[in-house]
Amino acid sequence: MARTEAKKDVVIVGLGWTGAIMGIELAQEGLEVLALERGPDRYTVPDFRYPDVIDELKYGVRMGFMQKPRNSTVTIRRTLQETALPYRKLGSFLPGDGVGGAGIHWNGQNWRAMENEFTLRSYVEDNFGAEIIPEDMTIQDWGVTYAELEPYFDRFEYVLGISGQAGNVNGQIIEGGNPFEAPRSRDFPLPPLPNTYDSVLFADAARAMGYHPFPRPAANASAAYTNEYGMQLGPCNFCGFCERYGCLNYSKASPQTCILDALRRMPNFSYRTNSEVLRVDLAEDGQTATGVTYWDEDAQEEVFQPADIVLLCAYQLHNVHLMLLSGIGEPYNPVTGEGVTGKNYAYQMNGGTTLFFKDKTFNPFIGSGANGLSMDDFAINQIDFAAEGFIGGSYITAGVANGQPIRGIGLPKGTPSWGEEWKTAIGEWYGHSMSIGSHGSNMAYRDCYLDLDPTYTDRHGRPLMRMTFNWKPNDIRMTQFMRSKIEPIAESMNPDTWQSSYKAEGAQYDVRPYQTTHNVGGAIMGDDPNTSAVNRYLQAWGQHNVFSIGASAFPQNIQYNPTGVVGALAYWVADAIRKDYLPNPRPLV
């Protein structure tokens, strides 16, 4: 029988970005808050200290800050007819492990979604006609608008100390920023990062073709900064060790640098590590949650943690898995189209062109996670979907984000992967290549979803979650369109040679190469309980004291990295709980 702990006002599952935000916001209301984290504790010191943390073999190759598949994995298949098999070796996506979660190892690209992303289906139908939406595409409006979320985007950016250049402040277009972005209420808290040589070459070529490059918004501090919680960041030193690493310099925004040390000081907040939540426990009538049951790794026993409010703040995949295991929402059925939990899993569509110059040196050891210049001339709000034959968009970008010597070497196609010729090619080309990348949206489809696997179980005897996903013609057409825009820019820069890598017609999803850790959907938000798992405040339709917060709420994936939207949604939910739910616990509408 499970051990029972003293009841808390709030229990939080996961202590990454959303868990940290919800923890500090609700603890400030005087609530007794407990967070449960399945992984170990992590501090900037000693966990990210120099020189230990810039061990590329340990963290970049062997992925020391990632969840191990032997402890937590999913099964994956491409079609309903295939048998799913476990994701046994990290590749395509890299969920974080421990306190801080994926907020430890991200690069720091922090974007706001385009305004029409939040009303995508309505935007398409109103401007291009419902008939252009493929029959199997299940895109939806979010149930919340950009205008409603703008104050929360702003707050999240100021908590993180984002470096950037505004392009649209209250409708006024600002030179040097992104002229296609949604209006913001004020500029970024910090000026943009300095530019590396490759991004300057790209921007010059883009401007010459009439495009509008701007600094990529970065959670890498360009100057010293102190946020509202009293947390301090120092200016980025361009060490090149952002992606897959904790920041040794207190420069990359993470839960550790921006929130956790302030949160840990609050007497009404506590957290337990090595505590994997197994399920959300529901009352006999199923209408509310009574708490959660977790596995205490240290004591080797199950523990029931009662609470008045349950906040699912784990990684997207884990939020959905817990909802499926706990009977929160009807599981989605792709054959009938009925059910909500697991619906609309989506990923990200990217590609790029690599340029090689014998006479140019790029010093790739100098880089920062979100360094670079980008352009949105082919963003989701700049494309005639009916004319081009696809729905979606992409930003296009260049900049050194990875200064790591093992993983950061670009070589021409055909170069052997080892041996004398490989060594010769490294000597010839190291520091002489740059890339122009496309980072695009991924739509939702009837047969791309998450459910419980009928065969495989985890170490606790629970069914693993099964992912059914493959690339679709719409998204292939989108990325090939971006290729047709990027390659002329590359050619205009007169490289000695160049090569492209974009998914082409017939491409199949491959879990082996890393692509992005931008998994979304499965517990999607909306204004109709028949088509969404949570409402506009990320509150479960059937259990009003359960909230599922994170990228699991995205009805389809945006063209940008998701963290900015995840942070804005967390502050939006915290505000709704504080102002509307706590005075009168009920379903929020």
Side-chain angles (χ1 to χ4, degrees), residues 30 48 56 71 108 131 167 170 362 393 408 415 463 468 496 530 559:
F48 311 154
E56 188 176 358
N71 296 326
E131 64 275 7
N170 296 318
F362 295 106
T415 302
T468 304
D496 292 290
N530 295 310
Q559 69 177 46

Side-chain angles (χ1 to χ4, degrees), residues 56 59-61 243-245 402 404-410 514:
E56 188 176 358
Y59 296 107
V61 177
E243 183 183 2
R244 307 191 183 189
Y245 305 86
N402 173 6
Q404 302 155 44
I406 298 175
R407 298 175 49 248
I409 299 174
Y514 178 69

Side-chain angles (χ1 to χ4, degrees), residues 146-389:
Y146 173 82
E148 289 175 304
L149 287 179
E150 198 284 330
Y152 305 99
F153 277 117
D154 179 82
R155 189 172 178 203
F156 187 58
E157 289 171 355
Y158 272 74
V159 167
L160 272 61
I162 301 299
S163 305
Q165 168 63 60
N168 182 342
V169 177
N170 296 318
Q172 180 181 357
I173 304 303
I174 308 298
E175 182 71 26
N178 181 4
F180 309 113
E181 71 175 352
R184 56 178 65 242
S185 54
R186 53 178 171 169
D187 203 346
F188 290 95
L190 290 174
L193 292 164
N195 297 313
T196 48
Y197 182 37
D198 64 323
S199 63
V200 172
L201 291 178
F202 159 73
D204 289 345
R207 287 192 196 95
M209 299 179 72
Y211 300 137
H212 304 82
F214 59 90
R216 190 156 34 179
N220 316 122
S222 60
Y225 183 76
T226 303
N227 71 13
E228 65 177 82
Y229 302 127
M231 300 292 288
Q232 298 177 326
L233 289 86
C236 176
N237 65 2
F238 277 68
C239 74
F241 286 84
C242 285
E243 183 183 2
R244 307 191 183 189
Y245 305 86
C247 182
L248 61 93
N249 205 49
Y250 293 87
S251 301
K252 181 176 72 174
S254 68
Q256 277 79 358
T257 54
C258 296
I259 301 174
L260 286 176
D261 279 349
L263 179 56
R264 286 174 171 124
R265 296 187 181 100
M266 301 187 72
N268 54 328
F269 172 80
S270 59
Y271 66 105
R272 300 173 193 153
T273 57
N274 301 312
S275 300
E276 181 177 3
V277 175
L278 303 178
R279 63 183 176 273
V280 178
D281 294 278
L282 303 182
E284 286 188 14
D285 62 4
Q287 300 302 301
T288 56
T290 57
V292 301
T293 295
Y294 69 93
W295 178 254
D296 184 332
E297 191 68 32
D298 298 328
Q300 289 290 294
E301 64 177 338
E302 287 191 6
V303 181
F304 174 60
Q305 177 59 61
D308 291 326
I309 299 174
V310 175
L311 304 179
L312 303 183
C313 296
Y315 189 71
Q316 171 266 342
L317 295 170
H318 304 314
N319 276 358
V320 180
H321 193 208
L322 279 172
M323 292 176 70
L324 288 166
L325 291 168
S326 307
I328 299 175
E330 181 184 352
Y332 172 68
N333 184 328
V335 177
T336 65
E338 298 173 340
V340 291
T341 305
K343 179 182 178 180
N344 284 25
Y345 170 76
Y347 195 37
Q348 204 89 66
M349 176 58 76
N350 52 20
T353 297
T354 303
L355 297 73
F356 297 88
F357 300 87
K358 292 181 179 177
D359 63 345
K360 290 180 172 59
T361 301
F362 295 106
N363 293 329
F365 50 85
I366 299 172
S368 123
N371 157 69
L373 291 160
S374 303
M375 66 184 223
D376 257 341
D377 294 78
F378 304 106
I380 203 164
N381 63 357
Q382 297 299 307
I383 296 174
D384 185 331
F385 296 150
E388 300 300 344

